[in-house]
Amino acid sequence: MGKYGIGQPVLRFEDPRLLRGQGRFIHDVNLPGQAYAVFLRSPHAHAKIRSVDTVAAKALPGVVAVYTGADYVADGLGMPKVNMPRKRPDGSPMFAPPRPALCVDRVRYVGDPVAMVVADTLARAKDAADAIEVDYEPLRSVTATDEATQPGAAPVYDECPDNISHVMERGNKAATEAAFAKAAKIIRRRYVVTRVHAQYMEPRGTLGVYDPGEDRMTLYADVQYPHRVRQMLAQSIFRVPESKMRVIGGDVGGGFGTKGWQYVEHRLTVWAARKLLRPVKWTCERSEAVMADEHGRDNIGDIELALDADNRFIGLRLNMLANIGAYIGSDRNLLTPFGQIGTVVGVYDIPAAYVHITGLLSNTNPTAPYRGAGRPEAIYLIERLVDDIARELGVDRLELRRKNMLPAARLPYQSPLGPYYDCGEFAQNLDMALKLADVDGFAARREASKARGKLRGLGIVNAIEQAAGTVQPEYAEVRFNPSGTAQLLMGTKAQGQGHETMYKQILHERLGIDPHEVQFIDGDTDRVAFGMGTMGSRSTVIGGSALFLAAGKVIEKGKKVAAHMLEASVDDIEFADAVFKVKGTDKSVTLKQVAMTCFQAGKLPPGSEMGLYENATYLSPKDTFPNGCHVCEVEVDPETGHVQLDRYAVVDDVGTVINPIGLKGQIHGGVAQGVGQILMEQVVWDRQSGQLMTASFLDYAMPRASTMSNMEIKSNPVPTAFNPLGAKGAGEAGTVGAMPVTMNAIMDALAPLGVRELDMPATGERVWAAIRKARAA
């Protein structure tokens, strides 16, 4: 419909104000009389706190208050807890240590907060934090995932000496064992998925406010789930009605899952503001972020496939170690990879599968969802293994994939691990991607690279992910003004994805209303009635569907008012392109006229309620499964180990495409994050001391424009029937395919030299060392 409807390449409405510096990010929010908070963080990975001396700090000029964990406990504030049912290997309840707001007796990772200083300037707060004397008794620590559960490893908690928080199983173990028992071939591999940090453009921040007249608290924060933050603070921390708490999230400079809702700084700044009767602001500095934030990934998978004599996959088995970190502050810390590992079977017909995951504790930051939240890890495991199987058996990797791929005729398909693939054209994705990437010309390009002394590798993977889950509903409201313009209020929260543009396109498709006459609102719990927030590629699927339904209610009420205005039967009214019309006549009124009439009591049908405001809540009956095929070519310099991305192509199926421009942007960003993890990104601790070694960009490498190559993107949409839009979700699709395809391309380049094993990140030094080791062998 028109130039703003679904499927149109609409430029983002958000961009002009953001490019002009007119955005309103958390660090742009300042209030009169605000004080500044600084946190004193542990320099030790594990230590007892013998004492905390704050006397000197409190005496410094401008210091308003210094708080410790004892002060928090004394005020009787609560602490969120995990709800997911899990058990330890012996059947006993899960060991789930909650995360303290400020540590009282022990610190358990470098960066664990010990004290909070509030002063009238940021500089004075920093000086006071430096003046606090903490007497630590250092203890042994464990930070490495492969060491945490080994005999003799340092226990993170005395009460849990083996560091195993819990285990989780999925699939049919007996059927899988039977499949492996009759297998003609069994191929096993171990793959390491490293720990990374989101490194968003805008580090986190909070501003706590208390209004004694209303006895009401307000939190300004860059969060992805404002309403859930409000609920957590009100119910679990301060134990007050939700009406006593407001959360406001403005523009957010990147979230990627890491700006969720479970950070101690949120509650502490609000708590301090209530105690001091003045606003309290905390700004996370870039050098503090890796210590202060939750991290992503960090697991080790021992995966094996059973094949019959014809090289068909008959069984999959996975044992995974998942590093949760030092605390389990909420269910959020259990979502990766436990909730999404079901897609480890990929797009393949594998009759039997069994997954066993061990959630382990370590002296590291807690892990939580980061772009993909387990789905990139799952596809990384299966797609690397398929390539390794093909190489070991000496068969063509494409033929192996085609032989085992689920054909469109087999869908819908119930996976042995739970996911229900309702639709998709996996084989067509592959065919389209091979053509888009000009794979036929790869051999010539490889020879050209060889002539320059370089190694060229080709990666081809099939990706699928589980998105837009069925657990959490979403809210949308269309609220017309008396002038006929409208407000669009959404329960999701934008963090740079272009929500305003996407939602206005859906609204325009349904109502024909001019997007420039629509005010977009999100992120404020006082303005938006309800919402679950943005994560898991759910905004278009769940939020967009709620908006679709709300707009439908506008049409239904509008028909009644239009019928009265046109002196016709409601059944004779039809609606299209923002116009209500009597069927078979030229009698019509516009939506804007109807909206204005809704505010004029004398012109409404008898018994009609004034105004035109409609809302809807939508919960999907099934998860959706975005899928696609990624093709990547890399060039490796064997003398230095440097890997250069040279070509990249994606064919995606995200269902109905709302905005092709926005979709490509999402895929570009997702691919960049996946490539970054494979080539250079990693959070590293010293294994002996537990010291964090990658706290800044001096040591934590990030992809730049020169890291990436040109990217060809083409869509192959197969709309799902499980939501009215037919959308499947797009936010994480790029990352899901990028991790395995980049590593497979590198391994393909190195294969002629005999390199068979290499874990991420494939830095120049690591690749160089692998080449030298292979040549020596």
Side-chain angles (χ1 to χ4, degrees):
M1 173 187 285
K3 65 177 181 179
Y4 295 118
I6 289 177
Q8 298 301 309
V10 178
L11 295 177
R12 299 190 347 162
F13 295 108
E14 301 94 325
D15 287 348
R17 67 178 178 84
L18 294 175
L19 292 171
R20 294 184 185 121
Q22 296 166 345
R24 191 169 178 82
F25 297 87
I26 180 60
H27 304 305
D28 295 318
V29 182
N30 294 285
L31 298 176
Q34 73 185 21
Y36 297 83
V38 167
F39 290 93
L40 179 67
R41 300 183 182 276
S42 168
H44 300 283
H46 196 191
K48 288 182 180 178
I49 299 176
R50 293 196 184 104
S51 64
V52 181
D53 186 350
T54 63
V55 174
K58 290 178 179 178
L60 291 177
V63 173
V64 178
V66 179
Y67 300 117
T68 66
D71 298 314
Y72 186 92
V73 172
D75 273 15
L77 300 181
M79 189 179 299
K81 295 181 180 178
V82 67
N83 294 310
M84 284 186 178
R86 294 280 188 271
K87 292 187 181 298
R88 284 180 31 84
D90 61 3
S92 60
M94 168 174 61
F95 185 79
R99 183 174 185 174
L102 294 170
C103 297
V104 176
D105 56 356
R106 192 176 291 200
V107 291
R108 289 186 165 87
Y109 67 90
V110 173
D112 224 353
V114 176
M116 175 187 186
V117 176
V118 183
D120 58 11
T121 69
L122 181 58
R124 285 175 166 176
K126 289 181 177 182
D127 288 344
D130 290 340
I132 298 174
E133 294 289 339
V134 183
D135 184 7
Y136 293 104
E137 178 188 334
L139 302 172
R140 289 195 308 136
S141 64
V142 61
T143 57
T145 303
D146 60 349
E147 295 179 355
T149 59
Q150 294 298 311
V156 182
Y157 293 85
D158 297 338
E159 309 93 310
C160 185
D162 60 5
N163 290 328
I164 296 178
S165 165
H166 63 281
V167 295
M168 192 197 79
E169 299 175 288
R170 289 182 74 166
N172 188 320
K173 185 176 182 179
T176 304
E177 295 296 334
F180 273 80
K182 66 180 182 180
K185 308 151 196 172
I186 298 174
I187 311 294
R188 302 179 178 89
R189 290 291 187 276
R190 165 172 280 206
Y191 301 119
V192 176
V193 178
T194 51
R195 179 181 287 232
V196 290
H197 179 266
Q199 299 290 15
Y200 15 64
M201 187 175 293
E202 175 200 30
R204 292 190 301 113
T206 71
L207 175 60
V209 183
Y210 176 66
D211 183 341
E214 290 190 352
D215 184 26
R216 195 161 190 257
M217 294 167 278
T218 298
L219 172 70
Y220 294 85
D222 51 342
V223 295
Q224 298 178 217
Y225 333 136
H227 290 82
R228 292 162 68 186
V229 173
R230 179 183 67 173
Q231 182 184 31
M232 180 271 294
L233 291 173
Q235 296 184 358
S236 300
I237 306 300
F238 295 102
R239 300 186 183 97
V240 297
E242 286 184 61
S243 59
K244 294 291 185 181
M245 177 68 62
R246 180 184 185 185
V247 174
I248 302 174
D251 291 313
V252 178
F256 313 119
T258 304
K259 287 182 180 174
W261 63 280
Q262 188 49 268
Y263 282 109
V264 298
E265 294 89 359
H266 298 155
R267 70 188 83 158
L268 290 172
T269 50
V270 173
W271 171 58
R274 190 173 70 168
K275 291 175 73 70
L276 300 172
L277 299 181
R278 64 187 293 187
V280 175
K281 184 170 186 176
W282 170 71
T283 298
C284 184
E285 299 191 357
R286 181 66 69 180
S287 59
E288 182 185 15
V290 180
M291 292 187 289
D293 297 348
E294 293 171 325
H295 297 165
R297 320 282 193 228
D298 200 350
N299 48 69
I300 299 173
D302 289 301
I303 185 171
E304 47 191 337
L305 266 175
L307 293 81
D308 66 13
D310 193 34
N311 290 336
R312 293 191 180 276
F313 305 156
I314 61 173
L316 179 147
R317 200 158 47 195
L318 170 64
N319 282 287
M320 177 178 280
L321 294 175
N323 194 334
I324 303 171
Y327 304 109
I328 304 180
S330 72
D331 290 345
R332 169 178 167 76
N333 300 120
L334 302 181
L335 294 179
T336 305
F338 309 103
Q340 307 297 344
I341 201 63
T343 53
V344 73
V345 295
V347 299
Y348 305 110
D349 184 6
I350 305 177
Y354 170 73
V355 172
H356 183 279
I357 300 174
T358 300
L360 59 91
L361 301 165
S362 66
N363 294 112
T364 64
N365 301 52
T367 53
Y370 166 67
R371 199 165 193 168
R375 287 97 85 187
E377 296 94 311
I379 299 304
Y380 182 81
L381 293 172
I382 183 63
E383 287 294 323
R384 276 211 67 181
L385 184 58
V386 172
D387 258 29
D388 279 350
I389 289 173
R391 198 172 288 117
E392 182 166 325
L393 299 181
V395 300
D396 183 86
R397 54 184 169 172
L398 285 178
E399 290 181 7
L400 184 63
R401 284 177 167 85
R402 291 186 191 280
K403 177 176 287 189
N404 289 282
M405 188 181 294
L406 286 163
R410 288 287 309 277
L411 272 60
Y413 171 78
Q414 180 65 62
S415 159
L417 292 176
Y420 182 79
Y421 301 168
D422 63 311
C423 63
E425 295 177 349
F426 309 141
Q428 190 175 79
N429 291 342
L430 176 58
D431 291 338
M432 290 173 63
L434 295 178
K435 183 177 180 180
L436 184 66
D438 184 27
V439 171
D440 288 343
F442 171 71
R445 292 191 293 274
R446 172 173 269 179
E447 288 302 312
S449 294
K450 185 177 180 181
R452 298 194 308 272
K454 303 294 179 65
L455 305 168
R456 181 173 284 265
L458 173 68
I460 304 169
V461 307
N462 299 301
I464 191 166
E465 60 158 325
Q466 188 172 351
T470 61
V471 177
Q472 295 147 339
E474 199 45 77
Y475 174 86
E477 180 180 354
V478 181
R479 185 186 302 171
F480 279 86
N481 302 312
S483 62
T485 59
Q487 293 177 328
L488 170 56
L489 302 98
M490 297 299 307
T492 55
K493 181 72 202 83
Q495 311 131 52
Q497 305 96 323
H499 281 189
E500 178 179 348
T501 304
M502 177 267 293
Y503 285 134
K504 285 184 176 181
Q505 285 185 256
I506 295 173
L507 190 63
H508 180 78
E509 182 77 18
R510 285 290 267 164
L511 300 182
I513 188 170
D514 184 348
H516 299 94
E517 294 191 345
V518 178
Q519 178 189 8
F520 176 73
I521 299 170
D522 73 352
D524 188 337
T525 59
D526 270 12
R527 301 173 77 185
V528 182
F530 170 75
M532 297 304 292
T534 295
M535 67 286 183
S537 299
R538 70 188 298 274
S539 295
T540 300
V541 178
I542 311 296
S545 294
L547 176 56
F548 185 94
L549 297 179
K553 293 181 180 181
V554 169
I555 294 171
E556 290 308 307
K557 180 171 182 178
K559 283 183 176 181
K560 296 176 183 178
V561 176
H564 184 72
M565 294 171 67
L566 297 170
E567 299 180 336
S569 168
V570 174
D571 294 336
D572 290 333
I573 300 295
E574 57 186 11
F575 178 79
D577 298 330
V579 174
F580 294 94
K581 183 179 179 181
V582 180
K583 297 175 185 176
T585 75
D586 59 357
K587 297 174 62 178
S588 65
V589 290
T590 66
L591 172 60
K592 194 168 189 177
Q593 290 172 316
V594 169
M596 294 170 68
T597 299
C598 286
F599 291 89
Q600 301 175 47
K603 295 184 178 181
L604 289 174
S608 294
E609 185 178 4
M610 286 187 63
L612 186 56
Y613 345 93
E614 298 294 342
N615 60 62
T617 303
Y618 181 79
L619 179 63
S620 178
K622 294 278 188 181
D623 294 339
T624 62
F625 290 89
N627 58 87
C629 181
H630 292 231
V631 182
C632 172
E633 288 184 34
V634 300
E635 204 171 56
V636 179
D637 185 340
E639 298 306 314
T640 65
H642 175 71
V643 178
Q644 181 61 55
L645 209 67
D646 188 66
R647 297 166 68 96
Y648 203 104
V650 181
V651 170
D652 65 85
D653 169 16
V654 300
T656 300
V657 177
I658 306 299
N659 186 333
I661 295 177
L663 172 60
K664 287 186 177 182
Q666 287 279 38
I667 292 175
H668 283 158
V671 167
Q673 286 182 284
V675 169
Q677 177 159 4
I678 295 300
L679 295 184
M680 60 193 70
E681 293 188 53
Q682 186 179 13
V683 178
V684 179
W685 288 271
D686 180 83
R687 288 186 178 231
Q688 300 303 315
S689 67
Q691 278 301 307
L692 179 64
M693 300 172 67
T694 53
S696 76
F697 287 151
L698 289 174
D699 301 294
Y700 188 102
M702 288 282 286
R704 295 179 287 185
S706 60
T707 306
M708 306 303 295
S709 67
N710 184 50
M711 200 177 304
E712 299 291 337
I713 300 173
K714 191 170 184 178
S715 291
N716 182 31
V718 182
T720 178
F722 290 139
N723 63 74
L725 293 174
K728 294 179 179 178
E732 288 142 313
T735 311
V736 174
M739 284 173 52
V741 80
T742 306
M743 183 58 86
N744 278 357
I746 295 169
M747 298 304 294
D748 184 60
L750 300 178
L753 303 183
V755 175
R756 295 290 180 265
E757 295 182 4
L758 180 66
D759 282 319
M760 64 176 83
T763 60
E765 188 276 334
R766 282 191 170 195
V767 173
W768 180 86
I771 292 173
R772 293 300 177 274
K773 182 179 178 181
R775 284 177 172 170

